[in-house]
Amino acid sequence: MSRLGDRFSLLRDEGRGGLVTFITAGDPTGAISTQILSGLPSAGADIIELGMPFTDPMADGPSIELASGRALANGQDMEKTLSLVSDFRKQDDLTPIVLMGYYNPIYAYGREKFSNDAVAAGVDGLIMVDLPPEEEEEYRPFGAAAGIDIVRLIAPTSTDYRIATLVENASGFVYYVSVRGITGTTSAAKRDIVSNVGRIKAHTDLPIAVGFGIRTPQQAAEVAAIADAAVVGTAIVEKIANKLDAQGNPSRGIVEETLDFVSDLASAVRGARNRSIS
Amino acid sequence: MTETLNTFRAGPDEDGHFGIFGGRYVAETLMPLLLDVEKAYEEAKVDPAFQKEFSNLLEHYVGRPSPLYFASRITEKCGGARVYFKRDELNHTGAHKINNTLGQVLLARRMGKTRVIAETGAGQHGVATATVCALFGIPCVVYMGARDIERQAPNVFRMKLLGAEVVPVETGSSTLKDAMNGALRDWVANVDDTFYVIGTVAGPHPYPAMVRDFQSVIGNETRNQVVTAEGRLPDTLVACIGGGSNAMGLFHPFLDDDNIEIVGVEAAGEGIETGRHAASLAAGKPGILHGNRTYLLQDNDGQIIEAHSISAGLDYPGIGPEHAWLNDTGRVHYVSVTDAEALEAFQLCSELEGIIPALEPAHALAYVLKVAPNLTSDHLLVMNMCGRGDKDVFSVAEALGVNL
């Protein structure tokens, strides 16, 4: 079984939803990003979503766009992002890592080479924000051959017909984007999440992670009680940004404070009983 | 092997691809909406009532048809080809942009959308969108890079006079591509009531095809006008290219006339070799941005590189996907012209023809000035004068070291 499959079955055994934490690879620097990444599992992250920086992240809000900008300004590129993962794998062979980003850097790196190098580095899944089912044919064979899980995004605007198509070639888990909008802006009403998670469950047995707009430990706990996992991104990235001085240099405690916040999220999530798991 | 096609005018395919270019590379949130826009457009396209309203407004509000003008003094100066200008700078709002915004806003109304958003670089598309929104009383929000807002203050004020809200985009390079990101973000958050009016033949399907269709009025008129004036079709067509909507509008009706030479002129900025330019065909490679695959200025890591041109309207790191395809099939020939060459053409046109061109068509003219002298006197060349230069007088004065 894959790391993602193992992790979700472990969560099921524990009777709880999981915590997916997002950071951008290389934000604010390669060295600090390495330290934060390596501290995430012990802070309580069940799954790590690692952003591949891109100059034009159209579905992301300002916080994550700025994180991409910081990483790129410090020389982050795809090779370094993959090395970040392979270094992490030297200490942790259990925590799944899902790369999240936009298609162009993958296309530029080479679809086949990217897929093989990513799996060799220890990547488990891939979210490509701007590769909808209408276009995914051109990537799918490469991902499948390398054995990388393709995590599909489902939106509140997705019709039932689209959901059926979207989950057809999905693996690992599906990611429900709970708000109409970009990352880190508004939050969805709980009842909308409940009804949409139900709508998706009717089409797939894959675990469902819910993200966009989850900013506090309490919100994370609420969502983890409804879905199989809650994704927190912007709020973590903002902890990192808040520890940068006016020149963009990291202040003392940037790693610790970021990981402390992840611990708060994790204990809230662990305290929530998951009602959706029978 | 060169592919032989029966027609160059049939694209895109049903998924919006022109060969490997085009497509719909957008977030899932937008996909259902794009499918709606496509369906509504396909219906409108064949609805005589929609077409009638569109052409009626083009005639009485925009002022079409725009003249096809024989540029006698430029012709004389070159001493070669007979040079004609398609005068789209005489349209209401001073450029070709309004042909498209009129069509899209009519479609937005037909779809029951109550709010319109747009991106703008120099402000021309923003002004053209705000104009049509004022005409129909539709709230309009225009996204514009913070740097462009500084550079284009008169157009910002025009948009405000027309009742539009101008939202500065501070991210990235704070120019056109970032304005487009800003508009896409707005759209994702307001899918129910909002229509996104894209300003060029780029973006996800169906925009490249739809914008081309609305702009094709340029080429369709030219066909009739040149036959009336000269008794035959032209030998050469020339137009400038940023995203490429004025060029596609002129070129498309002629693509299957295979003895007509068609030339698109990109902005070479300070020179291709300096890296400071906007020539995505000359120096870019295929990639995915803003919903389509096309030639992009990008580094080896697939990160988008900022474009540079004295003309804010050409200052975009990509190009419409149909142009990318026409380039690869060899049907259209693409060249580039530097800031300095465009500035020279700008001045020459003002002095010789009494027409102050926008800096965008000044690029096309600079190419015409290079080739026309070597062509015979029976050679017919049509260039699209797609915008007037009033908006550019400040930046030209600055470039020439003149203190206004």
Side-chain angles (χ1 to χ4, degrees):
Chain A
M1 217 182 191
S2 68
R3 286 188 201 97
L4 277 167
D6 287 344
R7 183 51 48 109
F8 277 108
S9 70
L10 180 73
L11 289 169
R12 211 167 293 127
D13 292 346
E14 290 180 9
R16 66 179 181 92
L19 173 66
V20 182
T21 57
F22 173 92
I23 58 169
T24 297
D27 172 36
T29 65
I32 289 171
S33 184
T34 303
Q35 291 178 51
I36 294 174
L37 184 66
S38 78
L40 284 174
S42 49
D46 296 302
I47 294 167
I48 294 167
E49 189 186 343
L50 188 62
M52 299 173 279
F54 183 48
T55 39
D56 293 80
M58 290 162 310
D60 285 298
S63 298
I64 292 180
E65 176 163 30
L66 288 170
S68 258
R70 291 191 291 268
L72 291 172
N74 283 312
Q76 191 71 17
D77 60 17
M78 190 65 85
E79 238 169 79
K80 288 180 182 164
T81 297
L82 296 179
S83 310
L84 195 60
V85 177
S86 53
D87 287 346
F88 174 84
R89 281 282 169 248
K90 290 173 193 157
Q91 60 157 67
D92 184 320
D93 199 33
L94 295 173
T95 308
I97 293 188
V98 175
L99 292 181
M100 189 287 285
Y102 295 78
Y103 185 43
N104 199 50
I106 292 169
Y107 186 69
Y109 190 92
R111 289 165 284 184
E112 184 172 16
K113 180 170 157 55
F114 168 80
S115 309
N116 294 335
D117 290 1
V119 169
V123 169
D124 303 287
L126 181 61
I127 300 172
M128 288 174 289
V129 177
D130 53 355
L131 201 69
E134 280 76 2
E135 306 291 350
E136 68 155 3
E137 205 63 52
E138 69 174 73
Y139 176 76
R140 197 196 308 138
F142 302 106
I148 200 161
D149 281 325
I150 301 296
V151 177
R152 306 254 31 153
L153 299 171
I154 294 178
T157 51
S158 306
T159 55
D160 285 336
Y161 174 78
R162 288 191 65 78
I163 293 175
T165 316
L166 282 158
V167 298
E168 212 169 279
N169 294 301
S171 52
F173 63 96
V174 297
Y175 185 137
Y176 176 61
V177 174
S178 64
V179 296
R180 300 172 178 214
I182 51 179
T183 50
T185 49
T186 53
S187 304
K190 193 173 161 185
R191 64 168 188 283
D192 288 344
I193 300 179
V194 172
S195 87
N196 277 302
V197 167
R199 207 154 67 91
I200 300 167
K201 286 263 182 216
H203 293 278
T204 182
D205 294 330
L206 286 171
I208 300 170
V210 175
F212 280 47
I214 304 172
R215 307 186 59 96
T216 65
Q218 192 201 337
Q219 286 172 325
E222 271 178 28
V223 170
I226 300 166
D228 299 294
V231 187
V232 182
T234 299
I236 297 173
V237 168
E238 285 175 358
K239 292 286 167 201
I240 297 172
N242 289 342
K243 294 298 284 183
L244 300 172
D245 66 19
Q247 283 73 47
N249 296 315
S251 327
R252 186 174 282 281
I254 186 168
V255 175
E256 295 73 13
E257 285 188 27
T258 304
L259 293 175
D260 283 350
F261 178 61
V262 172
S263 301
D264 293 345
L265 292 166
S267 25
V269 164
R270 282 173 163 73
R273 181 160 289 279
N274 190 313
R275 286 190 294 267
S276 81
I277 292 163
S278 45
Chain B
M1 195 181 83
T2 314
E3 197 184 351
T4 312
L5 297 164
N6 292 326
T7 175
F8 287 94
R9 304 185 64 216
D13 67 17
E14 60 181 16
D15 296 317
H17 296 107
F18 301 92
I20 66 160
F21 301 104
R24 285 175 288 216
Y25 298 85
V26 297
E28 172 61 19
T29 314
L30 286 181
M31 258 325 291
L33 187 63
L34 278 179
L35 296 171
D36 284 351
V37 172
E38 182 187 352
K39 185 163 170 280
Y41 177 59
E42 289 304 321
E43 286 165 9
K45 202 159 68 170
V46 294
D47 178 355
F50 179 86
Q51 292 301 335
K52 192 178 163 197
E53 189 176 15
F54 180 51
S55 40
N56 190 45
L57 284 162
L58 281 179
E59 180 181 348
H60 299 290
Y61 188 69
V62 176
R64 301 206 72 94
S66 67
L68 182 72
Y69 163 76
F70 176 59
S72 60
R73 297 195 68 208
I74 292 271
T75 296
E76 194 185 327
K77 159 97 181 163
C78 291
R82 289 171 68 76
V83 178
Y84 279 85
F85 292 163
K86 176 62 174 162
R87 301 285 304 273
D88 253 53
E89 101 280 13
L90 293 176
N91 293 339
H92 180 40
T93 71
H96 68 291
K97 292 288 186 188
I98 197 162
N99 303 329
N100 166 50
T101 60
L102 185 60
Q104 286 196 50
V105 172
L106 287 178
L107 185 65
R109 289 176 83 218
R110 187 185 166 96
M111 291 177 74
K113 302 292 180 185
T114 54
R115 177 176 176 267
V116 157
I117 58 171
E119 84 294 337
T120 197
Q124 292 305 99
H125 173 61
V127 168
T129 307
T131 298
V132 181
C133 285
L135 175 65
F136 290 112
I138 300 176
C140 174
V141 177
V142 180
Y143 286 85
M144 189 168 183
R147 253 173 61 196
D148 287 336
I149 286 182
E150 269 171 43
R151 295 193 287 190
Q152 305 287 342
N155 271 343
V156 175
F157 185 58
R158 276 185 197 109
M159 286 184 268
K160 289 180 179 167
L161 282 175
L162 293 161
E165 183 192 343
V166 180
V167 179
V169 180
E170 315 259 2
T171 49
S173 54
S174 303
T175 60
L176 177 57
K177 82 173 171 71
D178 310 287
M180 200 150 181
N181 292 335
L184 283 164
R185 287 172 178 147
D186 179 309
W187 207 25
V188 169
N190 298 288
V191 281
D192 289 329
D193 65 346
T194 298
F195 189 96
Y196 179 16
V197 175
I198 295 182
T200 189
V201 286
H205 179 65
Y207 283 92
M210 177 167 68
V211 176
R212 172 200 72 200
D213 293 348
F214 290 139
Q215 292 292 1
S216 289
V217 65
I218 302 171
N220 287 327
E221 286 175 4
T222 301
R223 275 186 91 89
N224 294 331
Q225 291 167 319
V226 73
V227 169
T228 304
E230 294 278 354
R232 66 177 182 92
L233 292 179
D235 299 298
T236 301
L237 300 173
V238 181
C240 63
I241 305 213
S245 69
N246 92 83
M248 195 54 72
L250 175 65
F251 297 170
H252 196 260
F254 293 96
L255 288 176
D256 285 341
D257 298 282
D258 49 0
N259 47 350
I260 298 182
E261 179 198 27
I262 304 181
V263 184
V265 183
E266 295 191 287
E270 294 170 17
I272 305 282
E273 69 290 349
T274 66
R276 291 176 60 83
H277 60 80
S280 35
L281 287 176
K285 57 183 182 187
I288 292 90
L289 180 70
H290 295 152
N292 69 96
R293 178 175 9 242
T294 189
Y295 280 87
L296 296 173
L297 300 179
Q298 55 180 318
D299 67 15
N300 288 334
D301 194 44
Q303 307 297 336
I304 307 305
I305 296 173
E306 209 179 319
H308 289 277
S309 169
I310 188 169
S311 150
L314 304 181
D315 207 347
Y316 181 68
I319 184 168
E322 193 168 8
H323 284 295
W325 177 74
L326 290 169
N327 176 72
D328 283 14
T329 55
R331 175 61 189 101
V332 177
H333 182 49
Y334 294 88
V335 298
S336 59
V337 152
T338 63
D339 288 352
E341 292 168 321
L343 270 173
E344 210 169 294
F346 179 97
Q347 296 170 84
L348 193 79
C349 187
S350 304
E351 287 163 19
L352 286 185
E353 295 289 350
I355 296 171
I356 300 177
L359 278 169
E360 292 81 12
H363 283 73
L365 184 60
Y367 172 78
V368 170
L369 295 171
K370 278 192 224 178
V371 297
N374 306 320
L375 297 168
T376 55
S377 61
D378 59 350
H379 192 102
L380 296 182
L381 187 154
V382 175
M383 186 206 102
N384 197 11
M385 181 59 76
C386 62
R388 66 174 185 232
D390 307 45
K391 68 179 175 67
D392 292 319
V393 292
F394 298 104
S395 39
V396 170
E398 194 189 328
L400 298 175
V402 177
N403 222 334
L404 292 179

